[in-house]
């Protein structure tokens, strides 16, 4: 029975770490969502770039002051924009949901799917993201480097979904396995 306190400590540690991760902040939560969606397509994880994020924050303030969305004129990155009265991270889901309109049999750019293809673009490695809230509306700017949506490169950079199968151990599985082992020890 000496193992029981150790397993309880392990389970509690995982729970605390997961709580800290969930409440990490808008940028980290958005990065996590991006990477979960990218994993569904076998695309490598993005890293959060502070310089890109600072530019996103600044531009989100400009958009909030204007009260409208308009792409910046800057070069060197791809850019997704969104405004919502919901949680700001809901923009990532809205961008990804464009997958339902993407035609894998005719890969290429479309105004209806450009946010989705930018989000999962395999060759992109960096994400910058920022938001500004004004009058209950969140203005969100995401930037990707290297630039996504390059004509002629869609087939190799926008892979089909693997139906949500992740190739790593999830937190939930670890907790379930630890609890199951605890039950076996007690019984």
């Amino acid at each position: 029975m000496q193992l029981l306190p150790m397993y309880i400590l392990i389970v509690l540690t995982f729970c605390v770490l997961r709580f800290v991760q969930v409440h990490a902040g808008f940028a980290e939560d958005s990065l996590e969502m991006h990477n979960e969606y990218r994993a569904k397509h076998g695309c490598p994880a993005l890293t959060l770039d502070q310089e890109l994020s600072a530019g996103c924050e600044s531009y989100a303030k400009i958009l909030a002051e204007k009260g409208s969305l308009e792409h910046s004129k800057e070069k060197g990155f791809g850019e997704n924009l969104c405004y919502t009265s919901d949680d700001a991270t809901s923009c990532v889901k809205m961008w990804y949901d464009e997958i339902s309109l993407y035609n894998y049999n005719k890969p290429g750019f479309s105004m209806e799917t450009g946010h989705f293809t930018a989000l999962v673009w395999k060759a992109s490695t960096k994400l910058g993201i920022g938001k500004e809230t004004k009058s209950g509306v969140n203005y969100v700017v995401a930037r990707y480097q290297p630039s996504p949506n390059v004509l002629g490169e869609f087939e190799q950079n926008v892979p089909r979904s693997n139906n949500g199968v992740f190739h790593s151990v999830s937190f939930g599985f670890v907790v379930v396995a630890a609890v199951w082992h605890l039950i076996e020890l007690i019984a």
Side-chain angles (χ1 to χ4, degrees), residues 107-123:
F109 181 77
S110 161
M111 293 299 286
E112 291 84 26
T113 61
H115 301 104
F116 159 70
T117 55
L119 192 154
V120 300
W121 195 261
K122 195 172 194 170

Side-chain angles (χ1 to χ4, degrees), residues 107-158:
F109 181 77
S110 161
M111 293 299 286
E112 291 84 26
T113 61
H115 301 104
F116 159 70
T117 55
L119 192 154
V120 300
W121 195 261
K122 195 172 194 170
S124 292
T125 59
K126 296 179 189 177
L127 170 70
I129 193 151
K131 73 174 178 105
E132 178 69 19
T133 304
K134 184 176 181 186
S135 303
V137 176
N138 293 303
Y139 293 82
V140 178
V141 177
R143 293 179 175 168
Y144 308 91
Q145 281 183 331
S147 292
N149 293 341
V150 177
L151 295 180
E153 297 182 15
F154 280 80
E155 191 169 358
Q156 64 267 32
N157 281 291
V158 185

Side-chain angles (χ1 to χ4, degrees), residues 51-127:
E51 187 177 331
L52 276 175
S53 291
C56 293
E57 288 281 337
S58 295
Y59 194 59
K61 288 178 182 176
I62 292 169
L63 295 176
E65 284 303 312
K66 287 182 177 182
S68 64
L69 298 181
E70 177 184 321
H71 282 285
S72 67
K73 307 289 187 242
E74 295 181 49
K75 304 283 184 214
F77 50 75
E79 185 175 72
N80 279 351
L81 306 176
C82 173
Y83 65 89
T84 182
S85 57
D86 289 337
D87 178 59
T89 58
S90 68
C91 290
V92 180
K93 181 183 181 323
M94 285 190 272
W95 295 329
Y96 184 79
D97 285 348
E98 291 177 1
I99 187 175
S100 66
L101 302 172
Y102 190 71
N103 185 351
Y104 285 97
N105 296 321
K106 264 182 88 179
F109 181 77
S110 161
M111 293 299 286
E112 291 84 26
T113 61
H115 301 104
F116 159 70
T117 55
L119 192 154
V120 300
W121 195 261
K122 195 172 194 170
S124 292
T125 59
K126 296 179 189 177
L127 170 70

